[in-house]
């Protein structure tokens, strides 16, 4: 019960609970990601909880670049869409500089729902809070 990785996981979950996305991560973060704490997984700022997007719109996804490590092993970012706890195969944008802090995406043509989130990949993935996509 108190293996090093479960202690690590608890510490990690506590950290993210402070940012209000505990529910999202509690059931979703694989242990593999928990153990890769030295990599860069930028924190998504927008979209956030309460955001409503309409399909076909263009929006700037933004993320915090202030805490990136000096040397990043992967400078190329990728943004994918997730519905509920399920990853979708939809790539909204990729091969952009992860240090830009923002990238324009087009809201994809998907089933309307209030449980969408984005996964921003640098070295590792970071989930946005859930937000809404409407027709
Ligand atoms: C995204 O941000 C850039 C720079 O601030 C701005 O020029 C552009 O119009 C924005 N795009 C949208 C869709 O808001
Ligand atoms: C970052 O990489 C440079 C060049 O490879 C190296 O000189 C430097 O020590 C590295 N810095 C850190 C903090 O790893």
């Amino acid at each position: 019960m108190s293996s090093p990785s479960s202690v690590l996981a608890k510490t990690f979950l506590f950290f993210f609970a402070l940012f209000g996305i505990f529910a999202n991560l509690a059931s979703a973060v694989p242990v593999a990601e928990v153990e890769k704490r030295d990599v860069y997984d930028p924190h998504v700022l927008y979209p956030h909880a309460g955001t409503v997007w309409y399909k076909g719109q263009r929006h700037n996804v933004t993320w915090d670049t202030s805490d990136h490590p000096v040397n990043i092993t992967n400078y190329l970012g990728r943004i994918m869409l997730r519905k509920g706890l399920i990853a979708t195969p939809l790539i909204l944008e990729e091969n952009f500089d992860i240090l830009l802090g923002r990238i324009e995406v087009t809201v994809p043509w998907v089933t309307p729902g209030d449980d969408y989130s984005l996964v921003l990949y640098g070295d590792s993935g970071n989930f946005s809070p859930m937000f809404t996509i409407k027709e």
Side-chain angles (χ1 to χ4, degrees), residues 103-130:
I103 195 76
E104 251 187 50
V105 301
T106 300
V107 183
W109 205 258
V110 290
T111 312
D114 60 3
D115 57 348
Y116 283 102
S117 55
L118 299 184
V119 191
L120 174 61
Y121 291 96
D123 294 316
S124 176
N126 201 325
F127 305 104
S128 76
M130 285 189 187

Side-chain angles (χ1 to χ4, degrees), residues 31-120:
V31 171
E33 287 189 14
V34 171
E35 289 169 348
K36 286 164 61 184
R37 293 307 297 146
D38 55 330
V39 301
Y40 182 41
D41 50 351
H43 181 64
V44 177
L45 301 174
Y46 180 85
H48 45 68
T51 297
V52 179
W53 282 359
Y54 291 85
K55 58 191 185 184
Q57 284 181 332
R58 299 277 290 169
H59 287 287
N60 277 310
V61 173
T62 62
W63 60 94
D64 186 11
T65 58
S66 63
D67 61 347
H68 72 83
V70 177
N71 292 325
I72 301 173
T73 55
N74 175 23
Y75 281 91
L76 292 180
R78 169 187 286 186
I79 294 173
M80 297 193 71
L81 187 70
R82 191 169 70 144
K83 179 165 173 48
L85 300 176
I86 311 296
T88 75
L90 290 173
I91 296 171
L92 302 195
E93 192 61 64
E94 64 178 341
N95 295 330
F96 54 85
D97 182 347
I98 196 68
L99 297 183
L100 280 176
R102 68 157 190 93
I103 195 76
E104 251 187 50
V105 301
T106 300
V107 183
W109 205 258
V110 290
T111 312
D114 60 3
D115 57 348
Y116 283 102
S117 55
L118 299 184
V119 191
L120 174 61

